[in-house]
Amino acid sequence: MIRYFANHPTAANLMMAAFIIGGLFAAPTLQRETFPRVEPREVEITVPYPGARPEDVEEAICRRIEDAVDGVNDITEVTCEAQEGLGRAVIEMTEGADLDRFFTDVNTEIEAIDDFPLEVEQTIVRQLGLTDFVASVAVSGPLDRANLKAYAEELKQRMLRWGGIPKVDIKGFSEHQIRIEISDQTLRQFALSVADIARAVQRQSLDLPSGSIQARDNDLLIRFADERKSADAFLDLVVVSSETGGQIRLGDIADVTDRFELDEDTITLNGRTAAVLDITKTRNDDTLEVIDAVTAFLEEERLNAPDGIELVVTNDVSSIVRDRLQLLLKNGGTGLVLVFACLWLFFGFRYSFWVTMGLPVAFLGAVVAMVMIGYSINMLTMVGLLIVIGLLMDDAIVIAENIEAHRRMNKNPLEAAVDGARQVLP
């Protein structure tokens, strides 16, 4: 092959040109991410069980899940974690199996469980490993927790509409609730019970379809929309009424507050309560493009944010990718300049040019191969590329020096190139 390319320089030039052109076109499509892609193999099952102790969750949730999935094929491991008010199970699939079929089988078995306690809320079954974490945005300011979460929700919607930010999740808040507190003395005074208050709230806070009216040209849908969604809306709710028209409203006998279930479930930034927006990407998104979109959005948002609101990027894993990529380009460029300068001093321009050309040609050819195989620019592949810079330069220098040695044996250029390269080929 060495002699063939030596005798056919046009073919060698065409191959080199193909590597360069192909690499230049393929490089923009090469995805950049923190770690290599790992095929997802896990299914998560989340079962809320409000008010239950971990022991109750273990008995009522975890054991039923483990028994239900016992007959599913391709299971490697089943892990179930019992927490207060929540059961969470992770089912791991055998490597190489079909995840879609595995997920369907697991979901079917979970839906078939009919002996969960009545208090159990909707079970959630989802695949894990479909998204990768990029960064977090901490939002803090002089707002109470309810308003802070409302602002975080608005910020999330604006982020998604901005473009280039695939997925945003809000952390730092437990389940939102409107709490109604009435003392025992007040209940006894008006001959009421907790169940009476609950029924009154249920009757007067509804959002239900109420049928339809068929007209000549169209149908009219009727809906009863009187669902109360704020603490103030519950204050005028009638709890007790008399035949003479007297009424006792909820605000007269109860404290109605808009709050969160767990006070301890909070995040602070510089001593202030904060909301955290976790930015994740799908497997087809570029990490650096996502973080660039987040940065551009925050720069715009800071100009319009309320006074005292602080937006800070935290836990940015994309910075590792950017720093390593810059190191790769810097080391490659520095190596090219140094090798070219040194070889020029001792061998002349032609030798130094062709030796240094080996590095960009090889790298661009590697880019084409990476795109075809499905590899990405990540922490592991960049370590390999950094190591290869030195190997390529060393090999190119050794080959060039050996060819020069054969030239000094009075061989013609073609023979010296073939013999010199073949001698060091092993």
Side-chain angles (χ1 to χ4, degrees):
M1 182 176 290
I2 294 174
R3 183 170 293 278
Y4 173 82
F5 282 118
N7 290 323
H8 300 82
T10 303
N13 291 335
L14 287 175
M15 178 172 286
M16 185 174 67
F19 281 164
I20 295 174
I21 296 172
L24 292 176
F25 277 100
T29 67
L30 193 59
Q31 197 172 27
R32 298 167 294 179
E33 53 193 0
T34 309
F35 297 106
R37 304 171 195 168
V38 178
E39 290 300 321
R41 294 169 46 197
E42 293 180 333
V43 174
E44 180 191 60
I45 304 163
T46 305
V47 184
Y49 188 5
R53 299 174 303 168
E55 296 85 357
D56 299 331
V57 174
E58 175 69 29
E59 181 67 28
I61 305 299
C62 289
R63 290 193 180 182
R64 284 172 171 78
I65 291 176
E66 292 168 357
D67 293 340
V69 302
D70 188 53
V72 177
N73 295 326
D74 301 321
I75 289 182
T76 300
E77 184 180 5
V78 179
T79 304
C80 190
E81 180 184 0
Q83 306 173 12
E84 184 174 351
L86 180 70
R88 177 181 178 273
V90 176
I91 319 297
E92 184 177 346
M93 181 189 71
T94 304
E95 187 174 357
D98 187 339
L99 180 61
D100 291 334
R101 181 176 180 180
F102 180 76
F103 173 79
T104 302
D105 292 343
V106 171
N107 191 37
T108 301
E109 296 298 332
I110 296 302
E111 289 181 347
I113 299 176
D114 58 3
D115 56 349
F116 277 147
L118 296 176
E119 296 80 5
V120 166
E121 297 179 357
Q122 183 178 2
T123 300
I124 300 174
V125 183
R126 65 187 185 98
Q127 297 179 18
L128 296 180
L130 300 180
T131 58
D132 297 320
F133 178 78
V134 177
S136 294
V137 176
V139 184
S140 63
L143 302 176
D144 57 54
R145 295 188 67 199
N147 288 328
L148 182 62
K149 184 177 183 183
Y151 178 74
E153 292 284 358
E154 295 175 3
L155 196 64
K156 171 184 175 179
Q157 297 304 319
R158 288 198 292 273
M159 273 187 173
L160 296 176
R161 290 195 299 267
W162 179 268
I165 306 174
K167 192 171 184 295
V168 182
D169 295 310
I170 299 176
K171 292 172 55 180
F173 305 93
S174 57
E175 190 70 23
H176 184 260
Q177 61 181 209
I178 294 176
R179 181 173 295 185
I180 301 172
E181 298 175 291
I182 307 176
S183 66
D184 292 340
Q185 180 180 354
T186 302
L187 289 175
R188 289 194 298 268
Q189 179 183 350
F190 294 98
L192 294 171
S193 67
V194 174
D196 294 332
I197 301 298
R199 283 192 293 268
V201 171
Q202 187 176 15
R203 286 196 309 267
Q204 301 178 61
S205 179
L206 296 174
D207 186 2
L208 296 173
S210 302
S212 62
I213 299 177
Q214 293 183 348
R216 177 179 299 177
D217 298 327
N218 51 30
D219 292 343
L220 301 177
L221 298 178
I222 303 174
R223 189 174 190 88
F224 184 82
D226 190 28
E227 185 178 8
R228 301 166 191 255
K229 298 182 179 180
S230 66
D232 292 339
F234 281 90
L235 296 179
D236 64 346
L237 187 148
V238 178
V239 177
V240 179
S241 60
S242 67
E243 296 179 355
T244 59
Q247 292 181 335
I248 298 176
R249 301 183 182 274
L250 188 62
D252 299 330
I253 62 174
D255 291 328
V256 183
T257 55
D258 191 339
R259 52 172 300 159
F260 297 91
E261 183 178 2
L262 302 175
D263 292 332
E264 64 273 15
D265 189 3
T266 60
I267 297 174
T268 58
L269 177 67
N270 298 327
R272 297 195 298 181
T273 303
V276 173
L277 283 69
D278 282 343
I279 315 297
T280 55
K281 73 177 189 68
T282 64
R283 298 167 63 82
N284 297 322
D285 294 312
D286 187 283
T287 297
L288 297 188
E289 290 180 358
V290 172
I291 194 62
D292 288 343
V294 172
T295 302
F297 170 81
L298 292 180
E299 290 177 356
E300 179 74 18
E301 185 65 26
R302 290 187 182 104
L303 299 177
N304 304 313
D307 293 338
I309 291 293
E310 185 179 6
L311 304 172
V312 180
V313 176
T314 62
N315 197 19
D316 179 8
V317 299
S318 67
S319 61
I320 306 174
V321 182
R322 195 183 300 275
D323 293 344
R324 186 64 57 85
L325 188 58
Q326 291 176 349
L327 179 64
L328 176 64
L329 297 175
K330 180 181 178 181
N331 283 10
T334 304
L336 279 178
V337 172
L338 291 177
V339 170
F340 181 83
C342 292
L343 292 181
W344 195 357
L345 292 175
F346 295 97
F347 294 102
F349 178 80
R350 291 181 62 191
Y351 272 104
S352 60
F353 174 78
W354 286 112
V355 168
T356 53
M357 277 298 293
L359 183 62
V361 171
F363 265 58
L364 291 172
V367 167
V368 175
M370 290 173 70
V371 171
M372 294 176 63
I373 296 172
Y375 281 11
S376 63
I377 287 290
N378 55 66
M379 297 297 293
L380 297 186
T381 55
M382 282 191 286
V383 168
L385 293 173
L386 281 168
I387 295 173
V388 164
I389 290 176
L391 297 178
L392 286 174
M393 288 293 92
D394 288 346
D395 292 346
I397 292 171
V398 168
I399 293 171
E401 288 179 341
N402 203 44
I403 292 174
E404 175 64 18
H406 281 267
R407 283 280 289 143
R408 292 174 181 173
M409 297 177 187
N410 296 322
K411 294 182 179 182
N412 62 58
L414 176 60
E415 186 179 6
V418 172
D419 294 343
R422 180 183 294 165
Q423 187 176 11
V424 297
L425 178 63

